[in-house]
Amino acid sequence: MTHNSTQDEQFLRMAIGLAREGMNTGKGGPFGAVIVRDGEVVGQSSNLVTSTNDPTAHAEVMAIRDACQRLGTFQLDGCTLYTSCEPCPMCLGAIYWARPARVVYAAEHTDAAIAGFDDSFIYAELAKPYSQRSIPTQQALQPEARTVFDEWVQKEDRTHY
C-alpha cells in the first residue's frame, strides 16, 4: 500500500479544521477525525462530549460510528483514520475494534496534556490490579455469565467479528 504524504496532510488538515470548528461552535473539546477510503471521506466528526453529555463522544469514536453507518459495516477495512491528536486509550480501543488499515495523527498526547486533556492517569490505572484502582471493581456471577459465551459458541447463525 502506497501512502501519499500530500494526501495525508490534506486529510490531517481536515481533521484539524473539524477540531477547531467543533471547539469554536461549542460542540466539545479541540479534537477532530476523518476516515478515508480510496481517497474519499467516508466518516468524520469533531469531539461532541460536552454538547451531547456523552463522555464517549470523542472525535475518533464518532467518526468511526459515522463511517460504519455510511458504509453499512462494523469494520473499516481499507480505511485510514486521520485524527488531529494521538488517540486516547478509549479511542485506541475503538480503533482496534474497527480495524482500519492505518491511523495518521497530528498532535501528540503530550500536547493535549498541556491543554488539560491528560490521559496518563488511565494508563496508570490499567497497570494496577483491580483492588488498587481508584474506581472499585469487583467480579460476581462469572459462571452464570459464562453460559452466555457458551451459547454464543454454539450459535450457528452468529456474525463473526
Side-chain angles (χ1 to χ4, degrees), residues 12-34 44-48 50-51 59 84:
L12 274 177
R13 285 190 178 102
M14 188 179 292
I16 293 166
L18 286 169
R20 183 173 285 114
E21 178 187 344
M23 173 186 70
N24 288 335
T25 58
K27 291 180 181 176
F31 302 93
V34 175
Q44 63 183 342
S45 188
S46 62
N47 178 290
L48 303 175
T50 57
S51 62
S84 64

Side-chain angles (χ1 to χ4, degrees), residues 61-108:
V61 170
M62 300 308 291
I64 289 168
R65 290 174 183 168
D66 185 35
C68 287
Q69 233 177 17
R70 288 189 199 194
L71 296 173
T73 182
F74 53 84
Q75 300 207 322
L76 298 176
D77 300 328
C79 293
T80 299
L81 187 150
Y82 295 92
T83 179
S84 64
C85 187
E86 184 178 358
C88 75
M90 178 187 69
C91 292
L92 195 56
I95 289 165
Y96 272 88
W97 281 117
R99 295 179 176 90
R102 60 195 278 259
V103 174
V104 181
Y105 66 91
E108 294 183 347

Side-chain angles (χ1 to χ4, degrees), residues 148-160:
V148 180
F149 290 116
D150 295 338
E151 292 169 24
W152 171 258
V153 170
Q154 299 303 314
K155 186 173 169 49
E156 292 187 20
D157 64 341
R158 71 183 185 263
T159 301
H160 295 272

